[in-house]
Amino acid sequence: MKNMTFAMIKPDAVRNRNTGKIYDRILTSGFSIVSAKLLRMTKSQAEGFYDVHSERPFFGELTEFMSSGPCMVLALKKENAVEEWRKTIGATNPDEAETGSIRKDFATSIGENAVHGSDSDENAKKEIGFFFSESELIANK
Ligand code: UDP
Ligand code: MG
């Protein structure tokens, strides 16, 4: 069954003019875009989104970065969307990311790593709900 995951093109990738190239990867990897928008998170929105990492040493830097400029948020659809999108983006650290993965090709560091992907179906649902209302998701569900 096709299901959804949540993806983000992070501020570094938008700033570096890689949005179009990453969109192309999304589509050629077989994902459908259910919904997408460009927005800039406030610091407190970024803190809310990355709440699970609030005790980690990089939390301040991460939420500064994520609120530093616009990012593209997307709801994506495919068979096994969560796992497939994690494979497409590659490891968190670009030095460890697989050849051909988005992070290998577009990330500049472990922090500024171009894209986000949900790590479970449960978190995908939560993260999609963080940014999209039901009416924004119906077009291509
Ligand atoms: N991050 C960081 N330093 C680290 C680990 C993670 O700045 O040592 C940032 C990075 O932007 C990463 C995000 O925090 O994408 C969330 O971390 P997570 O371990 O959930 O990695 P992801 O799920 O994004 O691969
Ligand atoms: Mg994660």
Side-chain angles (χ1 to χ4, degrees):
M1 200 193 86
K2 287 192 179 180
N3 52 10
M4 290 203 285
T5 192
F6 176 74
M8 239 192 293
I9 302 175
K10 293 185 177 183
D12 59 319
V14 174
R15 204 174 285 130
N16 295 333
R17 299 184 171 267
N18 288 325
T19 302
K21 292 179 193 126
I22 294 172
Y23 251 77
D24 193 49
R25 299 285 184 101
I26 291 170
L27 297 171
T28 55
S29 303
F31 295 89
S32 299
I33 296 171
V34 176
S35 202
K37 57 190 170 187
L38 187 71
L39 54 85
R40 181 173 179 169
M41 277 191 265
T42 63
K43 181 86 161 32
S44 80
Q45 267 179 309
E47 287 165 357
F49 181 76
Y50 277 118
D51 187 48
V52 291
H53 294 312
S54 61
E55 302 301 319
R56 306 284 288 276
F58 56 81
F59 186 64
E61 202 182 345
L62 172 62
T63 54
E64 275 296 330
F65 162 59
M66 291 303 295
S67 56
S68 68
C71 66
M72 182 71 72
V73 294
L74 306 107
L76 303 180
K77 188 173 72 173
K78 195 185 180 181
E79 295 267 334
N80 298 319
V82 168
E83 197 188 330
E84 287 294 304
W85 178 241
R86 291 294 305 202
K87 263 195 245 158
T88 305
I89 68 177
T92 310
N93 185 344
D95 293 339
E96 289 159 18
E98 300 67 15
T99 303
S101 65
I102 293 175
R103 281 169 166 170
K104 183 68 171 187
D105 295 340
F106 300 109
T108 44
S109 67
I110 190 168
E112 305 205 359
N113 58 5
V115 282
H116 168 83
S118 307
D119 60 9
S120 65
D121 286 339
E122 190 193 345
N123 284 334
K125 195 162 186 259
K126 255 197 243 172
E127 292 173 357
I128 289 169
F130 191 91
F131 288 105
F132 295 102
S133 65
E134 235 355 87
S135 65
E136 289 174 307
L137 297 167
I138 56 170
N140 188 28
K141 221 172 176 178

